[in-house]
Amino acid sequence: MPQLDREWFARDAREVAVDLLGCMLVRRFPDGTEAAVRIVETEAYRGSDDPASHAGRRRTARNDPMFGQPGNLYVYFTYGMHYCMNIVCEPAGQPAAVLIRGAVPVRGEEHLRARRPGVPDRQLLNGPAKLTKALELDLKFNRYDLLAADGEPDAACGGKALSILPAESPPGSWKATPRIGISAGTDLLWRYVVEQIL
DNA sequence: CTTATGATGTACT
DNA sequence: GTACATCATAAGG
């Protein structure tokens, strides 16, 4: 598996979205505890060729992070109560990101559960806002750089607050489907879901 | 299993 | 005003 450096994220968002399947997110919480999850569902969002994208029209204060450095996060608040987490892709200046829609716990599951009490196994991380809730990610992580050790979230927990690791083994099989919760661009199969893990 | 609905804040028209 | 890259809950089959 290649190194997840700036170059790796600078590729087409659809390629990155597929290659993120199986990768791990490692979260260090402010209290010093840790959890790790494996990504199993992603969606690609791009620029003017993507009518469903926040950056499908013009650059605004909200979508500006999508134009930033690949490997940064784009976190937005939606429906009055939820946060969604994206990883910015493609070269800086060119808007694109991958929404992390679903994952499965690998380590420190009890710390994820603590943030989503009473939830059945299957529903712990199977949605973009469920994932950010369990990982305790919010707007403080907007523009956060996965590939550097700075930012206020890091200072708050004495270490790298969020990092990403390559897939130990790539997913055995995955499928592409229309993206969820959008009304334009439904003909594009830019959602990627793991079907089987080897 | 399925479909329906309310909650809730912000960006944008 | 309206729409929104959502979720938890309730009711129906």
Side-chain angles (χ1 to χ4, degrees), chain A residues 21-35:
Chain A
L21 297 174
C23 291
M24 297 234 300
L25 288 171
V26 182
R27 171 72 162 120
R28 184 178 171 89
F29 293 109
D31 65 4
T33 59
E34 261 192 28

Side-chain angles (χ1 to χ4, degrees), chain A residues 90-108:
Chain A
E90 307 198 12
Q94 190 174 324
V98 174
L99 173 68
I100 310 301
R101 278 198 68 88
V104 293
V106 172
R107 232 179 47 229

Side-chain angles (χ1 to χ4, degrees), chain A residues 14-164:
Chain A
R14 293 160 292 195
E15 281 182 46
V16 176
V18 170
D19 291 346
L20 278 172
L21 297 174
C23 291
M24 297 234 300
L25 288 171
V26 182
R27 171 72 162 120
R28 184 178 171 89
F29 293 109
D31 65 4
T33 59
E34 261 192 28
V37 305
R38 184 178 169 92
I39 298 170
V40 298
E41 181 181 349
T42 59
E43 285 179 1
Y45 287 88
R46 307 187 75 233
S48 50
D49 65 338
D50 182 0
S53 173
H54 288 171
R57 294 196 164 183
R58 60 184 140 275
R59 189 167 182 164
T60 67
R62 177 172 69 157
N63 68 30
D64 188 68
M66 288 182 70
F67 292 77
Q69 284 292 326
N72 286 4
L73 297 191
Y74 166 45
V75 180
Y76 65 89
F77 180 67
T78 192
Y79 290 105
M81 59 188 98
H82 300 303
Y83 300 98
C84 294
M85 167 195 154
N86 296 254
I87 304 179
V88 174
C89 301
E90 307 198 12
Q94 190 174 324
V98 174
L99 173 68
I100 310 301
R101 278 198 68 88
V104 293
V106 172
R107 232 179 47 229
E109 180 174 346
E110 69 271 26
H111 303 123
L112 303 169
R113 284 230 129 79
R115 287 153 180 91
R116 285 177 51 71
V119 183
D121 285 16
R122 295 192 45 142
Q123 295 177 17
L124 186 59
L125 302 166
N126 69 334
K130 300 177 190 178
L131 188 111
T132 56
K133 186 90 197 290
L135 291 176
E136 201 178 304
L137 302 175
D138 60 19
L139 290 179
K140 289 194 294 296
F141 283 82
N142 195 21
R143 300 179 186 277
Y144 180 83
D145 191 351
L146 285 177
L147 306 178
D150 56 358
E152 63 178 79
D154 296 336
C157 64
K160 189 73 185 139
L162 186 67
S163 48
I164 187 161

